[in-house]
């Protein structure tokens, strides 16, 4: 019987617990150092949230905020703009968004993203079908979406198996400790370090975040505001 064709990395997703297990098996085989990371940190949980514009907006809110603060602001934002759609965000006054708790940069980012979605410059459905690096490039091409936001959206909202948030400080610190590095790796250095883990770098990120929590006895800052189901305007 002929063997099954290889699965395209663009189609690999982290949607189920079985996907986590498949990714872990690949990672430990590809890089035996990760077996020790798994032994210390334990099996990482499945982390997913809805995607679309609400999910991307929630990811923007989560940047550089504690989980509790981001969740509180997100709850107020999604209650005030319901349904949460690009046209409605663009019609909302900046002063209203500021009263909800959004900073000026986050207001600007949300409106830039809403404008790109309205005008067709960003197609989140198309992004969902791209390989991780191409999807990342499509997202960061929009003003208001930085690398951390792009990678976090790909991982948490799309379940992209090869998303790799190289700029995440907790991941950098986890790698420093796990691989006994002299210094925390830079964002640029994180790419080559994770290259052997393709096409499951997303599961590697989950594994390292779990390891970080175990070693540091505190949770990494992850985007976690509640996200409403996406509906039409």
């Amino acid at each position: 019987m002929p063997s099954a064709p290889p699965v395209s990395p663009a189609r690999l997703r982290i949607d189920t617990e079985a996907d986590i297990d498949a990714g872990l098996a690949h990672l430990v085989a590809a890089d035996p150092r990760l077996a020790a990371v798994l032994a210390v940190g334990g099996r990482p949980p499945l982390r997913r949230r809805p995607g679309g514009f609400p999910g991307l907006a929630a990811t923007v809110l989560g940047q550089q905020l504690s989980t509790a603060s981001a969740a509180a602001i997100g709850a107020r934002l999604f209650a005030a703009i319901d349904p949460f759609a690009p046209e409605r965000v663009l019609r909302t006054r900046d002063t209203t968004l500021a009263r909800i708790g959004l900073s000026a940069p986050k207001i600007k980012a949300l409106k830039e993203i809403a404008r790109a979605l309205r005008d067709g410059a960003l197609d989140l459905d198309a992004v969902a079908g791209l390989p991780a690096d191409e999807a990342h490039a499509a997202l960061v091409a929009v003003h208001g979406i930085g690398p951390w936001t792009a990678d976090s959206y790909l991982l948490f909202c799309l379940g992209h198996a090869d998303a790799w948030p190289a700029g995440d400080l907790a991941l950098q610190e986890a790698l420093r400790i796990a691989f006994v590095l002299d210094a925390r790796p830079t964002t640029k250095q994180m790419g080559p370090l994770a290259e052997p883990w393709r096409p499951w770098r997303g599961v590697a990120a989950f594994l390292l975040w779990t390891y970080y929590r175990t070693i540091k006895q505190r949770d990494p800052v992850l985007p976690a505001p509640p996200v409403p189901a996406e509906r039409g305007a």
Side-chain angles (χ1 to χ4, degrees), residues 178-203:
F179 291 177
V180 196
L181 303 177
D182 291 336
R184 183 186 297 165
T186 65
T187 300
K188 186 176 181 180
Q189 291 168 336
M190 290 284 280
L193 283 170
E195 193 63 28
W197 307 336
R198 289 180 183 272
W200 290 101
R201 291 180 301 173
V203 174

Side-chain angles (χ1 to χ4, degrees), residues 10-201:
R11 290 163 44 204
L12 285 176
R13 293 288 183 268
I14 310 170
D15 293 324
T16 67
E17 298 293 344
D19 296 331
I20 293 285
D21 291 334
L24 289 173
H26 172 91
L27 291 167
V28 170
D31 189 341
R33 296 176 298 177
L34 294 179
V37 174
L38 178 60
V40 172
R43 183 184 181 281
L46 178 67
R47 299 175 183 269
R48 287 298 302 275
R49 61 162 65 222
F53 183 40
L56 184 52
T59 305
V60 170
L61 294 182
Q63 186 175 15
Q64 297 179 334
L65 286 179
S66 69
T67 299
S69 296
I73 294 171
R76 293 195 296 269
L77 176 66
F78 295 130
I81 305 177
D82 183 21
F84 192 81
E87 289 285 1
R88 293 177 65 90
V89 169
L90 290 170
R91 291 197 298 266
T92 303
R93 294 179 181 273
D94 289 2
T95 51
T96 300
L97 295 172
R99 285 197 297 272
I100 288 170
L102 276 73
S103 65
K106 290 187 187 298
I107 293 171
K108 182 178 180 181
L110 283 185
K111 295 219 168 181
E112 291 283 0
I113 295 167
R115 191 170 293 109
L117 290 168
R118 182 198 64 185
D119 296 344
L122 176 63
D123 183 342
L124 292 178
D125 289 334
V127 165
L130 295 174
D133 294 341
E134 292 179 29
H136 175 98
L139 289 168
V140 299
V142 177
H143 290 295
I145 303 179
W148 184 91
T149 297
D151 291 324
S152 295
Y153 176 78
L154 291 176
L155 185 54
F156 291 96
C157 296
L158 298 185
H160 204 308
D162 205 34
W164 179 241
D168 188 87
L169 294 180
L171 288 183
Q172 294 172 2
E173 179 67 4
L175 271 177
R176 183 191 69 80
I177 298 170
F179 291 177
V180 196
L181 303 177
D182 291 336
R184 183 186 297 165
T186 65
T187 300
K188 186 176 181 180
Q189 291 168 336
M190 290 284 280
L193 283 170
E195 193 63 28
W197 307 336
R198 289 180 183 272
W200 290 101
R201 291 180 301 173

